[in-house]
Amino acid sequence: KQKEFSKAKKYFETSINDSRSLTNLGTMYFSDSLGVAHDFEKAINFYKIAADSGNSVAMYALGMIYLNGYNVIEKNLTLAQKWFNSVIIKNDNNEAQLKIAELYRDGNSNGIQINYEKHAEIIKKLSQKNYPNAITKLGEIYRDGLSVKQDYKKAVELFKKAISLGDAEAMSDLAGCYYFGNGIQKDISECIKLNKMAIEKGDIWGKRNMLDLYTKGEGMDKDIGMAKKLLKELNFDAINNNDNNLYTSLGYYYLMNNDYESAIRMYENAINNFSISGSYNLGILYYYGYGVEQSYQNAYTLFQVAANLGDRKAMHWLANCYKNWKNNYDSSKYWLNKACVLMNEQSCKQLKN
C-alpha cells in the first residue's frame, strides 16, 4: 500500500500544472492516512494554488480548514465563507455544493448560522440538474418543513424520483415514510425491504433504521445479536466519517434504550466536532436529568448556544427555560416566536395556547 501511495504522489508531482493533481497532493499532505508525512503548510499551499486555478474541491477544502482551524491554521470565518461562496459561484461540482448546503442546514458552532433558506436555494438548483442526492435532500426539506410548508406527499414523490435515479439515501428516507405512514400507506414490510436495499448500496441510514427494527422486533423477530452488530458498525461509521448527524442519531438510540452514558458520549463527540444539534441534545439530558445531575443552568447554557446559531428546537427549549426556570415570559415568547417563524410546530402550538 505504501508503494501505491508513493507512486500516486510521484504521479501528482509530475502533473503539477493540473489543479486536480495539486488538490490530491494537498489532501495527501493534510491527511494522516495516505502514506505522506503531515505537512499542513504544504497542504494549504497546494490547495490555494489549485483553488486559484478554479478547482472547487480545493476551494471547499480550504473553506473547511479555515472554518474549523487546523494545527498552524487559525480559524477565519470570513475566509471560510469566501471559499464556500466561490464553490457555489463556480457551480461545477455538485458534491462540494451539496456539502455546503448541508453546512447551512446543520450550522457549525464555529460561526456558521443555520440557514434553511440558503440550504434550500442550493438544493433546489442542484435538483434541477437531476443530481440524485440533491433530489433526495429536496424531499427531506419537504418532509421536515425546512423553509417550506411540511408536505409528506411531495417528499414521497421526490424520494421515489431519486430512487429511480439510483440514490441509496432516498431508499432509507422512503422506508421511513412507510414506517410512519407519512405521505403514504404505512407498510412495515416495504420499509424493511427498502432499508435492506439501501444497505446493499452502502447507505448508513438504512442500517440505522434497521437497528431500531431489530431492537424492537417490528415487522420481524427481535434480533438483539443483529442489533448489536449494526450498532458496532454504526459507531465505527460515525467515528470514521466524523458524522455529526449519525452521532446525534445514535445518541437518541442510546437514550431511548436507557444507556445514558453512551448517549452523552455521542452528543459530546458531536459537540467536539462543532455540531449545533449536539448542544441541543445534550441540553435535553440536563433539562430532565437523564444520566447527569439535573441542571436547568447547564440546559439553558447549551440551548442558548444552539438557539443563537439558529437551531429551532433549541429555541423552543430555551423558551421553556425562560418560562419554567427564569419566570421570564417576555423572553420565552420571543424565542417561541423565533422558533415558530422557522416552522417549529411545538412552538407555534404553544403560542396559540
Side-chain angles (χ1 to χ4, degrees), residues 43-305:
I44 298 297
N45 186 49
F46 282 125
Y47 279 144
K48 279 182 177 175
I49 298 169
D52 288 337
S53 299
N55 187 285
S56 294
V57 175
M59 292 174 188
Y60 173 75
L62 283 172
M64 291 305 296
I65 287 168
Y66 282 117
L67 176 62
N68 296 326
Y70 286 96
N71 199 271
V72 295
I73 307 301
E74 290 185 9
K75 296 173 189 176
N76 188 320
L77 188 59
T78 303
L79 278 176
Q81 289 177 322
K82 172 202 160 187
W83 287 115
F84 292 147
N85 288 335
S86 296
V87 173
I88 302 301
I89 292 165
K90 191 80 168 41
N91 192 27
D92 69 342
N93 189 302
N94 293 339
E95 189 177 350
Q97 289 183 80
L98 190 70
K99 286 178 181 176
I100 292 167
E102 291 182 332
L103 191 57
Y104 285 119
R105 180 196 64 197
D106 300 334
N108 179 291
S109 60
N110 282 325
I112 298 288
Q113 285 266 347
I114 290 171
N115 189 326
Y116 296 131
E117 289 183 357
K118 205 161 188 178
H119 164 247
E121 181 188 332
I122 297 168
I123 293 298
K124 284 174 183 175
K125 283 181 182 175
L126 288 172
S127 66
Q128 285 165 5
K129 298 180 184 180
N130 257 5
Y131 182 43
N133 197 233
I135 295 167
T136 299
K137 297 301 178 189
L138 187 58
E140 291 173 0
I141 286 171
Y142 281 103
R143 180 195 65 193
D144 299 333
L146 303 179
S147 81
V148 298
K149 187 176 179 181
Q150 195 171 52
D151 187 338
Y152 290 126
K153 286 187 177 176
K154 179 73 174 171
V156 167
E157 177 189 316
L158 288 161
F159 293 149
K160 285 182 175 179
K161 182 179 178 182
I163 288 170
S164 73
L165 295 169
D167 191 66
E169 191 176 357
M171 293 172 184
S172 55
D173 277 339
L174 185 59
C177 294
Y178 275 112
Y179 178 81
F180 291 107
N182 289 337
I184 202 164
Q185 184 70 36
K186 185 179 174 77
D187 188 334
I188 297 294
S189 296
E190 193 64 23
C191 166
I192 292 168
K193 176 185 162 187
L194 280 162
N195 279 321
K196 287 182 175 178
M197 286 169 61
I199 292 169
E200 283 174 13
K201 284 181 164 282
D203 177 59
I204 59 169
W205 296 105
K207 207 186 289 185
R208 173 64 185 87
N209 291 343
M210 289 303 295
L211 171 62
D212 282 336
L213 294 171
Y214 280 120
T215 301
K216 297 172 186 174
E218 290 188 76
M220 61 175 72
D221 291 334
K222 186 184 282 193
D223 190 336
I224 299 303
M226 192 62 181
K228 284 181 178 177
K229 177 179 179 290
L230 289 178
L231 187 57
K232 185 178 179 181
E233 289 176 10
L234 285 163
N235 270 272
F236 175 81
D237 290 335
I239 295 165
N240 195 46
N241 298 318
N242 244 354
D243 190 326
N244 285 336
N245 290 321
L246 189 51
Y247 278 137
T248 53
S249 182
L250 288 173
Y252 182 74
Y253 172 84
Y254 284 122
L255 178 62
M256 291 298 98
N257 288 279
N258 301 317
D259 184 349
Y260 301 129
E261 186 180 334
S262 295
I264 291 165
R265 187 179 75 252
M266 287 293 126
Y267 294 147
E268 287 180 341
N269 284 348
I271 290 168
N272 291 336
N273 198 39
F274 317 115
S275 166
I276 294 172
S277 179
S279 294
Y280 153 70
N281 280 286
L282 189 58
I284 293 290
L285 300 191
Y286 277 107
Y287 189 90
Y288 286 110
Y290 293 142
V292 292
E293 187 177 341
Q294 196 275 341
S295 169
Y296 286 128
Q297 178 63 65
N298 287 346
Y300 169 81
T301 301
L302 287 160
F303 292 149
Q304 197 171 45
V305 167

Side-chain angles (χ1 to χ4, degrees), residues 285-332:
L285 300 191
Y286 277 107
Y287 189 90
Y288 286 110
Y290 293 142
V292 292
E293 187 177 341
Q294 196 275 341
S295 169
Y296 286 128
Q297 178 63 65
N298 287 346
Y300 169 81
T301 301
L302 287 160
F303 292 149
Q304 197 171 45
V305 167
N308 284 330
L309 285 164
D311 189 304
R312 59 185 183 174
K313 290 180 183 177
M315 291 174 187
H316 176 82
W317 284 94
L318 183 59
N320 285 343
C321 283
Y322 274 114
K323 180 184 174 184
N324 301 327
W325 178 50
K326 288 182 171 281
N327 297 317
N328 185 333
Y329 295 96
D330 288 340
S331 291
S332 177

